[in-house]
Amino acid sequence: MINIPSHIGIVIDNYSDEKFSNESIMSFINYVYNICADIGVKEITFYGMDNTNVEDNYWQNLAVIISYELFKLGSKLLVVGNTESAKFPYELLCFAQKRAIGHGLKVNFLVNYSIEWDLDNEISKHYQKNVYDDAVSNIDLISIWGKSKKIKDFLPMQTSSSNLYFQKKLYYKFEPSQIYDAIMLSN
């Protein structure tokens, strides 16, 4: 019997190495979301951008596009990151205050995120107290796409017992079977 992870984290390596097309990243995110929904995953966390590349308007705009696309999919979206920074895209404040009401999966999208901020602020406090519905739960499987084998600054409290799956292909060479492979190999 296959154990389907309840929560999958997705890290796309090379966010800072190249700028990719909105079409290709949205195609990847749509595939991941729909496959996870089809197989019974309950929550996904996408590593969007950290507090270093958020200064670039390209990344800010891309974060807004991705967030609204996830919302259009019906996800229960929560944007996680330092909203008090001037670098945080103001268009995403509505998703950062509380989880959006949707009929689909719980989705967390990290924007202007850093470990230091996390450990000092809301996500870790919510997680430690375990009293909020909006809290990000433990991540069962982290799938990393690209050449690197780093999980970057990825939710340290929630990833301490995660399985890791490294996919050497870059996200824009994505094949739907690779999500299934990640789940099968993590069992």
Side-chain angles (χ1 to χ4, degrees), residues 119-145:
L119 295 176
D120 289 342
N121 290 284
E122 298 305 313
I123 292 302
S124 291
K125 288 177 186 173
H126 290 187
Y127 177 77
Q128 290 168 2
K129 293 178 184 175
N130 201 20
V131 294
Y132 292 100
D133 229 7
D134 288 349
V136 177
S137 66
N138 281 338
I139 297 175
D140 304 308
L141 171 65
I142 300 172
S143 181
I144 301 169
W145 298 78

Side-chain angles (χ1 to χ4, degrees), residues 14-20 25 48-50 52-66 89 92 109 111:
N14 80 340
Y15 260 121
S16 59
D17 295 342
E18 65 178 76
K19 296 185 175 173
F20 30 78
I25 191 66
M49 58 185 180
D50 61 25
T52 58
N53 59 6
V54 75
E55 293 182 26
D56 185 336
N57 284 340
Y58 171 81
W59 297 112
Q60 288 181 0
N61 292 336
L62 186 59
V64 171
I65 291 167
I66 290 170
L92 300 183
F109 187 49
V111 175

